[in-house]
Amino acid sequence: MKGDLFSSTHLVQPAVEPGMTVENAKCLRYAVGGEMFARQGSMVAWRGNLVFERKGQGVGGMLKRAVTGEGLPLMTVRGQGEAWFAHEAQNCFIVEVEPGDRFTVNGRNVLCFDASLSYEIKTVKGSGIAGGGLFNSVFTGHGRLGLVCEGNPLLIPVSAQYPVYVDTDAVVGWTAHLETSLHRSQSMGSMLRGGSGEAVQLKLQGDGHVVVRPSEVTPQKNQQH
């Protein structure tokens, strides 16, 4: 190929460790030696001896998805080889889930994860009906979780003294021990006059971190997900 600069900049190097790594800002690589899980349709390339199969959610999972609108359409990847995953050229990053930890994340931000992790769909505590149906996937176990979002994510520390208020369309996920509730930042008079467009946020307090995307989901994307 002509253009040594292009080749040297974008040429894929051999994997140096098994499992999940960041290939570049828009793509994750997974060196598979057994089994892993990924978002359906997110594989962009692979090599080796791999099999891709749709992962069923089971009756309970399907019922939850029908009621909540939240779900993880997953595929199982098995065998020996390498696969690359991406979604709509969004930025990729990895969260390490340690034993005894829980990480709550919006299903739309999940790209792939280790088979050693498990997840279940739960209601965001304190969101109520007014939250428009805030349901997230809670990951437990020990392993790596690959996530995507538009732009570079913000990792904001949270404490009991300094709670953080996040737009419900911008939040990606948060660590286990944070308490959540809805916070109304406008007066009724302001809302009647049209408001600021930022009437309700998710309040997080306790000891941990929250991950926020530097943009809000558009109405069109909300319909898609």
Side-chain angles (χ1 to χ4, degrees), residues 38-44 73-75 85-87 111:
R39 183 193 194 114
Q40 288 180 18
S42 64
M43 184 273 295
V44 296
L74 296 174
M75 59 183 177
F85 301 96
H87 181 66
L111 183 63

Side-chain angles (χ1 to χ4, degrees), residues 2 5 15 25-26 46 56 61 63 78 96 112 124 177 181 187 215:
K2 292 183 178 180
L5 179 60
K26 308 293 184 181
W46 66 279
L63 288 175
R78 296 188 181 93
E96 299 274 356
C112 57
V124 176
H177 303 297
S181 61
S187 66
S215 65

Side-chain angles (χ1 to χ4, degrees), residues 4 33 37 50 52 55 71 81 101 108-109 111 119 122 126 140 157 170 183 198 223:
D4 291 341
F37 300 110
L50 297 176
F52 300 82
K55 183 179 185 298
D101 285 349
R108 67 172 177 249
N109 298 106
L111 183 63
Y119 78 94
K122 289 190 174 183
T140 57
H183 174 76
E198 306 290 346
Q223 293 172 5

Side-chain angles (χ1 to χ4, degrees), residues 2-60:
K2 292 183 178 180
D4 291 341
L5 179 60
F6 177 86
S7 298
S8 62
T9 301
H10 301 283
L11 183 64
V12 170
Q13 301 298 327
V16 296
E17 62 181 47
M20 186 189 311
T21 54
V22 176
E23 184 66 50
N24 59 43
K26 308 293 184 181
C27 187
L28 295 180
R29 185 213 319 236
Y30 202 108
V32 185
E35 182 179 80
M36 55 86 62
F37 300 110
R39 183 193 194 114
Q40 288 180 18
S42 64
M43 184 273 295
V44 296
W46 66 279
R47 62 185 175 189
N49 184 19
L50 297 176
V51 176
F52 300 82
E53 297 177 344
R54 180 174 180 174
K55 183 179 185 298
Q57 295 186 345
V59 176

